[in-house]
Amino acid sequence: MFTSVLMIEKPLSSVDVDFVTTLHGDETVSFIVLMQPRGDQTDALLRAIDDVAVGALKDAAKEGEEPSGAEARRPAEVALEQSVQALRDAGCEAVGQVVEDHPLDKMRAVVEEAEADEVIVLTAPHYVEEFFHRDWASRARHKVGVPVLKLFAHNE
């Protein structure tokens, strides 16, 4: 069985589920989903700049209102539960956990513990972070020891 560590920042859409579950053809895939609450991912300024870059000015103005810490945990748990269930419904084995601190350290530990074959980072575009190679996928490539695939999440 092929094992993928899947790092997400929001619930998987049906398009995302179809995409990640068909990446390896007919091979059986097991997913370990890591979900980091959005408010804890990066600082609000970088998220606001990304929002401005894609023309989402209303979203940029609301970045400071994004819940973080304990307030962000429950929405992240719900999103994780939905995503894990969607992967299971698609016929894959899937487990998950909310990542509270140091997502790249957690990712590396999970890859090592599960002897994962790859990491998939499925996020919205983060132009500023990507430009400076500070996004999860760029940093993970130097840390986890397995191939890292960066994919852009879809909306329903």
Side-chain angles (χ1 to χ4, degrees):
M1 181 175 299
F2 196 85
T3 302
S4 293
V5 175
L6 177 60
M7 177 68 101
I8 62 173
E9 62 185 4
K10 66 178 190 170
L12 295 175
S13 69
S14 60
V15 174
D16 294 332
V17 171
D18 288 343
F19 196 32
V20 299
T21 59
T22 60
L23 283 173
H24 300 289
D26 293 333
E27 190 165 359
T28 305
V29 180
S30 172
F31 290 96
I32 302 167
V33 184
L34 301 178
M35 170 78 174
Q36 185 180 20
R38 180 168 161 73
D40 294 342
Q41 293 169 12
T42 59
D43 71 37
L45 178 60
L46 287 178
R47 292 193 316 258
I49 292 170
D50 281 337
D51 291 337
V52 170
V54 297
L57 299 178
K58 289 181 182 179
D59 292 339
K62 294 179 183 177
E63 284 298 346
E65 300 169 11
E66 194 72 42
S68 61
E71 289 181 28
R73 180 149 181 97
R74 185 64 192 143
E77 289 171 346
V78 170
L80 178 63
E81 290 168 13
Q82 292 172 350
S83 299
V84 167
Q85 189 58 51
L87 291 166
R88 289 176 181 161
D89 291 346
C92 297
E93 289 184 18
V95 295
Q97 57 188 288
V98 173
V99 177
E100 296 188 39
D101 294 315
H102 309 291
L104 294 173
D105 292 341
K106 182 64 171 181
M107 185 187 299
R108 181 178 59 205
V110 169
V111 165
E112 290 172 1
E113 181 180 315
E115 298 180 358
D117 299 294
E118 71 180 354
V119 169
I120 300 171
V121 177
L122 184 71
T123 67
H126 298 290
Y127 299 109
V128 174
E129 291 176 38
E130 290 167 19
F131 181 78
F132 292 106
H133 303 284
R134 300 301 303 154
D135 59 299
W136 285 337
S138 295
R139 294 184 330 187
R141 286 185 181 103
H142 304 288
K143 199 161 193 153
V144 298
V146 296
V148 176
L149 178 61
K150 168 137 181 150
L151 302 174
F152 291 117
H154 296 83
N155 292 323
E156 289 285 17

